[in-house]
Amino acid sequence: MATDTLRLAMSVALIALFTARVSADALLRAWAESGNEYPVQLAVQVPRGGLPSATIRTVTFTVTNPQPRRSIQLQAVVVYSTYRESMVTVGSNVVTLEIDETARDCRLYFFIINGYALAGSLSIGGRKCDLNQNSSGFVLFLGDLPAGTTLKGKVSIFAR
């Protein structure tokens, strides 16, 4: 009797495990990298339940280099005293430095578990990108992102 109950409980547990695995939601992971001397990595992960099974959802994403362009003004100033003990101040011309905070060689990675991105559905900055077959993972090359740039995009994802 105890073995029959144990077998029944194990069967129910196995059925629940396989059913949960088959009907699991798609999971989307996306991250961006910059190839600068000091690379920046950003990661986004859609939680389970965000992309229900057997559905197609359009996911919008934004990639931003939020740092504003900066300029710094430099000036050399010298203060000295003459032989008569009077103080003299001499300054140079003001030099303005523009600091380039461009993120170079940016790439955006997508990895979709239990689903895939639909071919031809990827666009960023209003232009279609090359995704000519359904794919569970792909890399989007963004190039340089100047300071203050924001790129918006979207992709359709089928969750199995």
Side-chain angles (χ1 to χ4, degrees):
M1 179 81 171
T3 57
D4 290 338
T5 305
L6 183 61
R7 285 185 189 158
L8 181 61
M10 287 180 59
S11 298
V12 169
L14 285 174
I15 289 171
L17 177 67
F18 287 123
T19 304
R21 191 174 294 165
V22 169
S23 63
D25 300 339
L27 184 64
L28 169 67
R29 292 183 184 145
W31 67 95
E33 282 186 1
S34 170
N36 286 357
E37 183 179 345
Y38 301 101
V40 175
Q41 290 191 4
L42 308 170
V44 176
Q45 181 171 316
V46 174
R48 291 210 175 270
L51 301 169
S53 299
T55 62
I56 296 175
R57 293 283 190 256
T58 299
V59 175
T60 58
F61 57 90
T62 304
V63 181
T64 303
N65 182 0
Q67 298 180 355
R69 289 190 71 89
R70 293 190 304 152
S71 59
I72 298 175
Q73 293 187 342
L74 302 176
Q75 183 178 26
V77 176
V78 175
V79 179
Y80 63 93
S81 61
T82 64
Y83 66 91
R84 294 183 187 161
E85 300 297 321
S86 63
M87 299 299 287
V88 177
T89 302
V90 179
S92 70
N93 293 334
V94 176
V95 176
T96 302
L97 293 180
E98 288 290 331
I99 299 176
D100 178 17
E101 294 183 355
T102 297
R104 306 200 188 290
D105 189 27
C106 292
R107 299 168 302 280
L108 184 61
Y109 297 83
F110 285 90
F111 184 62
I112 304 159
I113 299 170
N114 202 18
Y116 52 84
L118 300 178
S121 69
L122 177 64
S123 67
I124 187 165
R127 63 179 171 86
K128 287 284 191 186
C129 297
D130 186 24
L131 188 60
N132 50 14
Q133 64 181 9
N134 294 344
S135 179
S136 293
F138 57 92
V139 180
L140 181 60
F141 294 95
L142 302 175
D144 295 348
L145 287 180
T149 300
T150 299
L151 291 176
K152 294 185 180 191
K154 63 183 177 178
V155 63
S156 295
I157 294 177
F158 174 75
R160 292 185 188 151

